[in-house]
Amino acid sequence: MKKKLIIFVSLIICSLALLLALPACDNTAGSLQYDKKYIAEGHANNDKERYYLFHSDGTGIYKYFSSGYTYAYDYTVSFKYTYADEDKTAVVCLFDSVEYGSKDTEKSVSTDWSELLTVSKNVLCTTNGYFYINEDYLKEIPNFNS
């Protein structure tokens, strides 16, 4: 009887310890944040005119504005996305439509526009080396690109 009680109490203590440890192992802590801008590192803390925005329904937008002496890019790509793996560490964005702003001179977006991004709560990384920083995380690093 005494052994059974010790085993029972030990199981309760282990179960409680596991329940308390679960929040530290939350698999969603590093996942994509919905309805938050992921702003290009070069645009962080200034004009914020280049960003991704994801919605929980599997859609999103990519906003891009840039101008020079002889050109101007001003467009918003609407896309559908899907996770590329079970761990949800990468997402594939596929063209749905494009809307050009009044300043766009290039009309450069084609219907085969797509992106493969690695995903975390704070940062997106493109395959060509660009970083996009979550707008909430920018508040934690106020001196970045200031």
Side-chain angles (χ1 to χ4, degrees), residues 15 18 22 35 37 45 70 74 76 84 96 98 102-103 111-112 132:
S15 297
L18 283 173
L22 282 177
D35 301 315
K37 290 180 182 177
N45 291 325
T70 60
D74 180 11
T76 303
D96 189 40
V98 64
S102 61
K103 298 176 183 172
T111 58
D112 66 350
Y132 292 78

Side-chain angles (χ1 to χ4, degrees), residues 39-42 44-46 48 122-123 131-146:
I39 302 163
E41 77 273 14
N45 291 325
N46 56 38
K48 298 175 178 57
N122 296 328
V123 178
F131 295 91
Y132 292 78
I133 304 166
N134 184 296
E135 63 184 321
D136 289 341
Y137 186 59
L138 279 172
K139 295 171 189 170
E140 295 180 34
I141 52 172
N143 295 324
F144 179 77
N145 197 31
S146 56

Side-chain angles (χ1 to χ4, degrees), residues 72-110:
Y73 296 101
D74 180 11
Y75 60 83
T76 303
V77 173
S78 294
F79 59 82
K80 294 184 180 182
Y81 68 89
T82 186
Y83 286 100
D85 58 2
E86 288 181 19
D87 295 334
K88 297 184 176 183
T89 59
V91 66
V92 177
C93 305
L94 302 166
F95 179 89
D96 189 40
S97 65
V98 64
E99 184 178 322
Y100 291 101
S102 61
K103 298 176 183 172
D104 193 280
T105 62
E106 303 302 303
K107 309 289 189 261
S108 61
V109 178
S110 66

Side-chain angles (χ1 to χ4, degrees), residues 4 17 29 34 39 43 49 55 57 60 71-72 84 89 104 120 128 135 141:
K4 288 182 180 181
Y34 300 121
I39 302 163
H43 295 249
E49 289 292 340
H55 305 294
D57 66 356
Y71 70 91
T89 59
D104 193 280
S120 80
N128 55 0
E135 63 184 321
I141 52 172

